[in-house]
Amino acid sequence: MPVADASRGKRAIERVGCASCHTIPGIGWPKGEAGPPLHGMAERALIAGRLANRPGILARFVRDAPALVPGTTMPAMPLSEEESRDVAAFLYESGK
Amino acid sequence: MLDGWPPPILDPAGPDAWAIATLAWVLLAMAALVLGVVLAAMWLALSGRPELRARLGGTKAIWIGGVAFPVVVLSLLLVYGLSLTRTQSAPLRGDEMRARVTGEMWWWRVAYLDQQRRPVLHDANELHIPVGRPVVLELESGDVIHSFWVPRLAGKLDMIPGRRNIIRIQADQPGVFGGQCAEYCGGPHALMGFVVVAHPQQRFDQLMRSRLARAAAASATPQAAQGARLFQSSGCAACHRIAGTPANGLAGPDLTFVGSRRTLGAGILPNNRGTMMGWIANSQAIKPENRMPPYTLLPGEDISALAEYLEAQR
């Protein structure tokens, strides 16, 4: 399995527009307010208030949130498996 | 930022843009050459040998370097520049495809015109054109001065209230070409982008046929669907039109084909379920001061349903 790459993750975040809903440290624009801000992801106990905060789970969650948390407003996003791991890596690194 | 944004300004994909880019490079090269000559003369004047310095200050050097050189170079450049860009002001044939693009704070109203120059199809923020054929755009403004600029396809032209300016664009290859309002128009002017999509002729004809058919028919989404009901009850329809439904608002962008658009928010966001929901819920956080209010009172399931409904409008 290739190593997750935070800088590729940043490009993926920009390509699909995660920041339309989330304010994300390291992303200058936009600073969306529809969903929670994503500061300090590395220190959080839970993802979406429900899932254990582990890299593999965060990667699956950013790609297909409704599959892990039925009823969540966050939709599945057009990310590949590899991109979703990169996105998780960026979220852990940028918000430290 | 979107892929391919901001649009490259010296990467022409059509004849008029090519002439402008070529002229820009020639002017840059000539300016560099003249700067080199001036710097060499300055070096000579300050630290050259005495006889060379004396010659540099003589009448002959002034007549050649100060009068003949600039007159010849500038005259040649003027003739070259005017002939290179003469196609930009060439008369129209009259049978070109026509569309009207109206600048609005802070988006673009698009209408495709028929041969009698009547609007037959309405859209926003995106224009589809055939490859290899000139397309004439009638540029107008609904409020303040904007400027239409798709740098890979043509030069810039202002959109002035009460006037109709004409620009010709052409793409010589299929592709997606970004544009940007180039005249400060207040608030989120910097977030007023535009997209031109060039298709091979056959594909373009197909697209127009299917869109004309869609615009003339009822929406395929039943009006009983949750998203369709919310579009009416939440007030969306007061500003947005979706052909073949009761939604007939004209203040904001036409959403008949919003599901197939490349971008949201006027050329600034990718178009997917997530960005659509973020835009509906609170577009003010994305594009501050734009004229759509935030819908922070809607629960998540309503925003999902609206986004699903809009995605189906194509």
PDB file of all heavy atoms in Angstrom, chain B residues 52-80:
ATOM      1  N   LEU B  52      35.536  56.259 -26.790  1.00  0.00           N
ATOM      2  CA  LEU B  52      34.188  55.713 -27.003  1.00  0.00           C
ATOM      3  C   LEU B  52      33.136  56.614 -26.352  1.00  0.00           C
ATOM      4  O   LEU B  52      32.058  56.844 -26.893  1.00  0.00           O
ATOM      5  CB  LEU B  52      34.080  54.298 -26.424  1.00  0.00           C
ATOM      6  CG  LEU B  52      34.757  53.191 -27.246  1.00  0.00           C
ATOM      7  CD1 LEU B  52      34.644  51.853 -26.527  1.00  0.00           C
ATOM      8  CD2 LEU B  52      34.129  53.090 -28.631  1.00  0.00           C
ATOM      9  N   ARG B  53      33.475  57.120 -25.143  1.00  0.00           N
ATOM     10  CA  ARG B  53      32.532  58.009 -24.435  1.00  0.00           C
ATOM     11  C   ARG B  53      32.304  59.276 -25.242  1.00  0.00           C
ATOM     12  O   ARG B  53      31.180  59.777 -25.324  1.00  0.00           O
ATOM     13  CB  ARG B  53      33.065  58.351 -23.040  1.00  0.00           C
ATOM     14  CG  ARG B  53      33.069  57.108 -22.132  1.00  0.00           C
ATOM     15  CD  ARG B  53      33.857  57.321 -20.869  1.00  0.00           C
ATOM     16  NE  ARG B  53      33.290  58.357 -20.018  1.00  0.00           N
ATOM     17  CZ  ARG B  53      33.854  58.796 -18.910  1.00  0.00           C
ATOM     18  NH1 ARG B  53      35.013  58.289 -18.527  1.00  0.00           N
ATOM     19  NH2 ARG B  53      33.281  59.731 -18.205  1.00  0.00           N
ATOM     20  N   ALA B  54      33.403  59.795 -25.853  1.00  0.00           N
ATOM     21  CA  ALA B  54      33.261  61.007 -26.658  1.00  0.00           C
ATOM     22  C   ALA B  54      32.358  60.747 -27.856  1.00  0.00           C
ATOM     23  O   ALA B  54      31.482  61.543 -28.200  1.00  0.00           O
ATOM     24  CB  ALA B  54      34.642  61.470 -27.116  1.00  0.00           C
ATOM     25  N   ARG B  55      32.537  59.534 -28.478  1.00  0.00           N
ATOM     26  CA  ARG B  55      31.721  59.227 -29.649  1.00  0.00           C
ATOM     27  C   ARG B  55      30.236  59.072 -29.262  1.00  0.00           C
ATOM     28  O   ARG B  55      29.344  59.481 -29.984  1.00  0.00           O
ATOM     29  CB  ARG B  55      32.241  57.942 -30.289  1.00  0.00           C
ATOM     30  CG  ARG B  55      31.973  57.894 -31.780  1.00  0.00           C
ATOM     31  CD  ARG B  55      32.387  56.602 -32.403  1.00  0.00           C
ATOM     32  NE  ARG B  55      33.840  56.452 -32.458  1.00  0.00           N
ATOM     33  CZ  ARG B  55      34.440  55.320 -32.860  1.00  0.00           C
ATOM     34  NH1 ARG B  55      33.706  54.287 -33.229  1.00  0.00           N
ATOM     35  NH2 ARG B  55      35.754  55.240 -32.886  1.00  0.00           N
ATOM     36  N   LEU B  56      29.994  58.492 -28.080  1.00  0.00           N
ATOM     37  CA  LEU B  56      28.613  58.275 -27.610  1.00  0.00           C
ATOM     38  C   LEU B  56      27.893  59.607 -27.395  1.00  0.00           C
ATOM     39  O   LEU B  56      26.679  59.720 -27.583  1.00  0.00           O
ATOM     40  CB  LEU B  56      28.645  57.485 -26.294  1.00  0.00           C
ATOM     41  CG  LEU B  56      27.319  56.950 -25.786  1.00  0.00           C
ATOM     42  CD1 LEU B  56      26.769  55.914 -26.740  1.00  0.00           C
ATOM     43  CD2 LEU B  56      27.473  56.339 -24.399  1.00  0.00           C
ATOM     44  N   GLY B  57      28.667  60.650 -27.017  1.00  0.00           N
ATOM     45  CA  GLY B  57      28.049  61.954 -26.777  1.00  0.00           C
ATOM     46  C   GLY B  57      27.973  62.808 -28.026  1.00  0.00           C
ATOM     47  O   GLY B  57      27.470  63.937 -27.978  1.00  0.00           O
ATOM     48  N   GLY B  58      28.439  62.279 -29.178  1.00  0.00           N
ATOM     49  CA  GLY B  58      28.463  63.082 -30.403  1.00  0.00           C
ATOM     50  C   GLY B  58      27.108  63.181 -31.074  1.00  0.00           C
ATOM     51  O   GLY B  58      26.178  62.438 -30.761  1.00  0.00           O
ATOM     52  N   THR B  59      27.006  64.132 -32.015  1.00  0.00           N
ATOM     53  CA  THR B  59      25.739  64.373 -32.731  1.00  0.00           C
ATOM     54  C   THR B  59      25.288  63.138 -33.501  1.00  0.00           C
ATOM     55  O   THR B  59      24.096  62.811 -33.515  1.00  0.00           O
ATOM     56  CB  THR B  59      25.934  65.536 -33.730  1.00  0.00           C
ATOM     57  OG1 THR B  59      26.742  66.514 -33.107  1.00  0.00           O
ATOM     58  CG2 THR B  59      24.613  66.115 -34.141  1.00  0.00           C
ATOM     59  N   LYS B  60      26.252  62.445 -34.112  1.00  0.00           N
ATOM     60  CA  LYS B  60      25.903  61.291 -34.940  1.00  0.00           C
ATOM     61  C   LYS B  60      25.191  60.211 -34.107  1.00  0.00           C
ATOM     62  O   LYS B  60      24.155  59.673 -34.505  1.00  0.00           O
ATOM     63  CB  LYS B  60      27.189  60.735 -35.561  1.00  0.00           C
ATOM     64  CG  LYS B  60      26.940  59.815 -36.741  1.00  0.00           C
ATOM     65  CD  LYS B  60      28.270  59.467 -37.404  1.00  0.00           C
ATOM     66  CE  LYS B  60      28.186  58.164 -38.163  1.00  0.00           C
ATOM     67  NZ  LYS B  60      29.522  57.618 -38.434  1.00  0.00           N
ATOM     68  N   ALA B  61      25.773  59.927 -32.899  1.00  0.00           N
ATOM     69  CA  ALA B  61      25.180  58.893 -32.029  1.00  0.00           C
ATOM     70  C   ALA B  61      23.765  59.288 -31.622  1.00  0.00           C
ATOM     71  O   ALA B  61      22.863  58.448 -31.547  1.00  0.00           O
ATOM     72  CB  ALA B  61      26.056  58.701 -30.794  1.00  0.00           C
ATOM     73  N   ILE B  62      23.560  60.581 -31.393  1.00  0.00           N
ATOM     74  CA  ILE B  62      22.220  61.022 -30.973  1.00  0.00           C
ATOM     75  C   ILE B  62      21.223  60.879 -32.127  1.00  0.00           C
ATOM     76  O   ILE B  62      20.089  60.401 -31.941  1.00  0.00           O
ATOM     77  CB  ILE B  62      22.277  62.469 -30.450  1.00  0.00           C
ATOM     78  CG1 ILE B  62      23.000  62.453 -29.089  1.00  0.00           C
ATOM     79  CG2 ILE B  62      20.871  63.052 -30.286  1.00  0.00           C
ATOM     80  CD1 ILE B  62      23.267  63.804 -28.510  1.00  0.00           C
ATOM     81  N   TRP B  63      21.642  61.228 -33.339  1.00  0.00           N
ATOM     82  CA  TRP B  63      20.744  61.091 -34.499  1.00  0.00           C
ATOM     83  C   TRP B  63      20.403  59.625 -34.756  1.00  0.00           C
ATOM     84  O   TRP B  63      19.253  59.274 -35.003  1.00  0.00           O
ATOM     85  CB  TRP B  63      21.379  61.705 -35.761  1.00  0.00           C
ATOM     86  CG  TRP B  63      21.075  63.171 -35.861  1.00  0.00           C
ATOM     87  CD1 TRP B  63      21.926  64.215 -35.649  1.00  0.00           C
ATOM     88  CD2 TRP B  63      19.805  63.756 -36.184  1.00  0.00           C
ATOM     89  NE1 TRP B  63      21.288  65.404 -35.801  1.00  0.00           N
ATOM     90  CE2 TRP B  63      19.957  65.152 -36.124  1.00  0.00           C
ATOM     91  CE3 TRP B  63      18.540  63.241 -36.482  1.00  0.00           C
ATOM     92  CZ2 TRP B  63      18.929  66.046 -36.378  1.00  0.00           C
ATOM     93  CZ3 TRP B  63      17.507  64.124 -36.739  1.00  0.00           C
ATOM     94  CH2 TRP B  63      17.700  65.508 -36.678  1.00  0.00           C
ATOM     95  N   ILE B  64      21.416  58.752 -34.622  1.00  0.00           N
ATOM     96  CA  ILE B  64      21.143  57.331 -34.912  1.00  0.00           C
ATOM     97  C   ILE B  64      20.379  56.679 -33.758  1.00  0.00           C
ATOM     98  O   ILE B  64      19.300  56.116 -33.935  1.00  0.00           O
ATOM     99  CB  ILE B  64      22.475  56.576 -35.160  1.00  0.00           C
ATOM    100  CG1 ILE B  64      23.111  57.090 -36.459  1.00  0.00           C
ATOM    101  CG2 ILE B  64      22.225  55.062 -35.254  1.00  0.00           C
ATOM    102  CD1 ILE B  64      24.472  56.486 -36.746  1.00  0.00           C
ATOM    103  N   GLY B  65      20.957  56.797 -32.529  1.00  0.00           N
ATOM    104  CA  GLY B  65      20.381  56.078 -31.383  1.00  0.00           C
ATOM    105  C   GLY B  65      19.148  56.758 -30.818  1.00  0.00           C
ATOM    106  O   GLY B  65      18.249  56.101 -30.283  1.00  0.00           O
ATOM    107  N   GLY B  66      19.068  58.079 -30.931  1.00  0.00           N
ATOM    108  CA  GLY B  66      17.984  58.807 -30.278  1.00  0.00           C
ATOM    109  C   GLY B  66      16.821  59.106 -31.196  1.00  0.00           C
ATOM    110  O   GLY B  66      15.685  59.305 -30.728  1.00  0.00           O
ATOM    111  N   VAL B  67      17.052  59.143 -32.520  1.00  0.00           N
ATOM    112  CA  VAL B  67      15.955  59.494 -33.429  1.00  0.00           C
ATOM    113  C   VAL B  67      15.658  58.348 -34.405  1.00  0.00           C
ATOM    114  O   VAL B  67      14.551  57.789 -34.409  1.00  0.00           O
ATOM    115  CB  VAL B  67      16.289  60.797 -34.202  1.00  0.00           C
ATOM    116  CG1 VAL B  67      15.151  61.141 -35.156  1.00  0.00           C
ATOM    117  CG2 VAL B  67      16.543  61.947 -33.229  1.00  0.00           C
ATOM    118  N   ALA B  68      16.682  57.956 -35.203  1.00  0.00           N
ATOM    119  CA  ALA B  68      16.420  56.959 -36.256  1.00  0.00           C
ATOM    120  C   ALA B  68      15.972  55.622 -35.667  1.00  0.00           C
ATOM    121  O   ALA B  68      14.972  55.039 -36.109  1.00  0.00           O
ATOM    122  CB  ALA B  68      17.675  56.775 -37.105  1.00  0.00           C
ATOM    123  N   PHE B  69      16.689  55.128 -34.657  1.00  0.00           N
ATOM    124  CA  PHE B  69      16.375  53.810 -34.074  1.00  0.00           C
ATOM    125  C   PHE B  69      14.944  53.734 -33.530  1.00  0.00           C
ATOM    126  O   PHE B  69      14.157  52.871 -33.936  1.00  0.00           O
ATOM    127  CB  PHE B  69      17.436  53.479 -33.010  1.00  0.00           C
ATOM    128  CG  PHE B  69      17.251  52.152 -32.330  1.00  0.00           C
ATOM    129  CD1 PHE B  69      17.485  50.971 -33.011  1.00  0.00           C
ATOM    130  CD2 PHE B  69      16.853  52.093 -30.997  1.00  0.00           C
ATOM    131  CE1 PHE B  69      17.321  49.740 -32.386  1.00  0.00           C
ATOM    132  CE2 PHE B  69      16.683  50.859 -30.364  1.00  0.00           C
ATOM    133  CZ  PHE B  69      16.919  49.688 -31.056  1.00  0.00           C
ATOM    134  N   PRO B  70      14.539  54.675 -32.635  1.00  0.00           N
ATOM    135  CA  PRO B  70      13.163  54.591 -32.130  1.00  0.00           C
ATOM    136  C   PRO B  70      12.110  54.761 -33.221  1.00  0.00           C
ATOM    137  O   PRO B  70      11.081  54.064 -33.212  1.00  0.00           O
ATOM    138  CB  PRO B  70      13.049  55.739 -31.113  1.00  0.00           C
ATOM    139  CG  PRO B  70      14.408  56.261 -30.893  1.00  0.00           C
ATOM    140  CD  PRO B  70      15.319  55.727 -31.959  1.00  0.00           C
ATOM    141  N   VAL B  71      12.351  55.661 -34.188  1.00  0.00           N
ATOM    142  CA  VAL B  71      11.337  55.885 -35.228  1.00  0.00           C
ATOM    143  C   VAL B  71      11.149  54.616 -36.053  1.00  0.00           C
ATOM    144  O   VAL B  71      10.016  54.169 -36.281  1.00  0.00           O
ATOM    145  CB  VAL B  71      11.742  57.076 -36.137  1.00  0.00           C
ATOM    146  CG1 VAL B  71      10.891  57.088 -37.412  1.00  0.00           C
ATOM    147  CG2 VAL B  71      11.588  58.384 -35.384  1.00  0.00           C
ATOM    148  N   VAL B  72      12.255  53.992 -36.428  1.00  0.00           N
ATOM    149  CA  VAL B  72      12.151  52.778 -37.246  1.00  0.00           C
ATOM    150  C   VAL B  72      11.509  51.638 -36.448  1.00  0.00           C
ATOM    151  O   VAL B  72      10.545  51.007 -36.886  1.00  0.00           O
ATOM    152  CB  VAL B  72      13.559  52.367 -37.761  1.00  0.00           C
ATOM    153  CG1 VAL B  72      13.496  50.979 -38.408  1.00  0.00           C
ATOM    154  CG2 VAL B  72      14.074  53.384 -38.758  1.00  0.00           C
ATOM    155  N   VAL B  73      12.015  51.397 -35.238  1.00  0.00           N
ATOM    156  CA  VAL B  73      11.520  50.265 -34.446  1.00  0.00           C
ATOM    157  C   VAL B  73      10.041  50.440 -34.094  1.00  0.00           C
ATOM    158  O   VAL B  73       9.222  49.534 -34.280  1.00  0.00           O
ATOM    159  CB  VAL B  73      12.362  50.101 -33.159  1.00  0.00           C
ATOM    160  CG1 VAL B  73      11.675  49.145 -32.192  1.00  0.00           C
ATOM    161  CG2 VAL B  73      13.747  49.597 -33.503  1.00  0.00           C
ATOM    162  N   LEU B  74       9.665  51.639 -33.634  1.00  0.00           N
ATOM    163  CA  LEU B  74       8.271  51.848 -33.218  1.00  0.00           C
ATOM    164  C   LEU B  74       7.330  51.805 -34.413  1.00  0.00           C
ATOM    165  O   LEU B  74       6.214  51.281 -34.320  1.00  0.00           O
ATOM    166  CB  LEU B  74       8.137  53.172 -32.459  1.00  0.00           C
ATOM    167  CG  LEU B  74       8.819  53.184 -31.080  1.00  0.00           C
ATOM    168  CD1 LEU B  74       8.668  54.542 -30.415  1.00  0.00           C
ATOM    169  CD2 LEU B  74       8.246  52.098 -30.179  1.00  0.00           C
ATOM    170  N   SER B  75       7.772  52.320 -35.582  1.00  0.00           N
ATOM    171  CA  SER B  75       6.909  52.284 -36.759  1.00  0.00           C
ATOM    172  C   SER B  75       6.688  50.845 -37.210  1.00  0.00           C
ATOM    173  O   SER B  75       5.552  50.440 -37.499  1.00  0.00           O
ATOM    174  CB  SER B  75       7.521  53.075 -37.917  1.00  0.00           C
ATOM    175  OG  SER B  75       7.775  54.387 -37.495  1.00  0.00           O
ATOM    176  N   LEU B  76       7.776  50.064 -37.233  1.00  0.00           N
ATOM    177  CA  LEU B  76       7.630  48.668 -37.644  1.00  0.00           C
ATOM    178  C   LEU B  76       6.714  47.918 -36.676  1.00  0.00           C
ATOM    179  O   LEU B  76       5.847  47.144 -37.091  1.00  0.00           O
ATOM    180  CB  LEU B  76       9.004  47.985 -37.697  1.00  0.00           C
ATOM    181  CG  LEU B  76       9.889  48.366 -38.882  1.00  0.00           C
ATOM    182  CD1 LEU B  76      11.254  47.684 -38.782  1.00  0.00           C
ATOM    183  CD2 LEU B  76       9.204  47.993 -40.200  1.00  0.00           C
ATOM    184  N   LEU B  77       6.900  48.165 -35.374  1.00  0.00           N
ATOM    185  CA  LEU B  77       6.056  47.487 -34.379  1.00  0.00           C
ATOM    186  C   LEU B  77       4.593  47.882 -34.529  1.00  0.00           C
ATOM    187  O   LEU B  77       3.701  47.048 -34.385  1.00  0.00           O
ATOM    188  CB  LEU B  77       6.527  47.838 -32.957  1.00  0.00           C
ATOM    189  CG  LEU B  77       7.597  46.949 -32.343  1.00  0.00           C
ATOM    190  CD1 LEU B  77       7.872  47.404 -30.922  1.00  0.00           C
ATOM    191  CD2 LEU B  77       7.154  45.482 -32.345  1.00  0.00           C
ATOM    192  N   LEU B  78       4.347  49.160 -34.841  1.00  0.00           N
ATOM    193  CA  LEU B  78       2.968  49.627 -34.995  1.00  0.00           C
ATOM    194  C   LEU B  78       2.300  48.905 -36.164  1.00  0.00           C
ATOM    195  O   LEU B  78       1.189  48.375 -36.033  1.00  0.00           O
ATOM    196  CB  LEU B  78       2.948  51.143 -35.210  1.00  0.00           C
ATOM    197  CG  LEU B  78       1.555  51.737 -35.385  1.00  0.00           C
ATOM    198  CD1 LEU B  78       0.748  51.619 -34.095  1.00  0.00           C
ATOM    199  CD2 LEU B  78       1.626  53.196 -35.821  1.00  0.00           C
ATOM    200  N   VAL B  79       3.008  48.867 -37.301  1.00  0.00           N
ATOM    201  CA  VAL B  79       2.450  48.199 -38.482  1.00  0.00           C
ATOM    202  C   VAL B  79       2.225  46.717 -38.188  1.00  0.00           C
ATOM    203  O   VAL B  79       1.162  46.157 -38.470  1.00  0.00           O
ATOM    204  CB  VAL B  79       3.395  48.378 -39.697  1.00  0.00           C
ATOM    205  CG1 VAL B  79       2.933  47.522 -40.862  1.00  0.00           C
ATOM    206  CG2 VAL B  79       3.466  49.843 -40.082  1.00  0.00           C
ATOM    207  N   TYR B  80       3.248  46.090 -37.549  1.00  0.00           N
ATOM    208  CA  TYR B  80       3.140  44.662 -37.234  1.00  0.00           C
ATOM    209  C   TYR B  80       1.962  44.401 -36.286  1.00  0.00           C
ATOM    210  O   TYR B  80       1.136  43.515 -36.518  1.00  0.00           O
ATOM    211  CB  TYR B  80       4.447  44.177 -36.595  1.00  0.00           C
ATOM    212  CG  TYR B  80       4.387  42.761 -36.101  1.00  0.00           C
ATOM    213  CD1 TYR B  80       4.373  41.699 -36.992  1.00  0.00           C
ATOM    214  CD2 TYR B  80       4.314  42.481 -34.734  1.00  0.00           C
ATOM    215  CE1 TYR B  80       4.296  40.393 -36.547  1.00  0.00           C
ATOM    216  CE2 TYR B  80       4.245  41.174 -34.282  1.00  0.00           C
ATOM    217  CZ  TYR B  80       4.228  40.138 -35.190  1.00  0.00           C
ATOM    218  OH  TYR B  80       4.147  38.846 -34.740  1.00  0.00           O
TER     219      TYR B  80
END
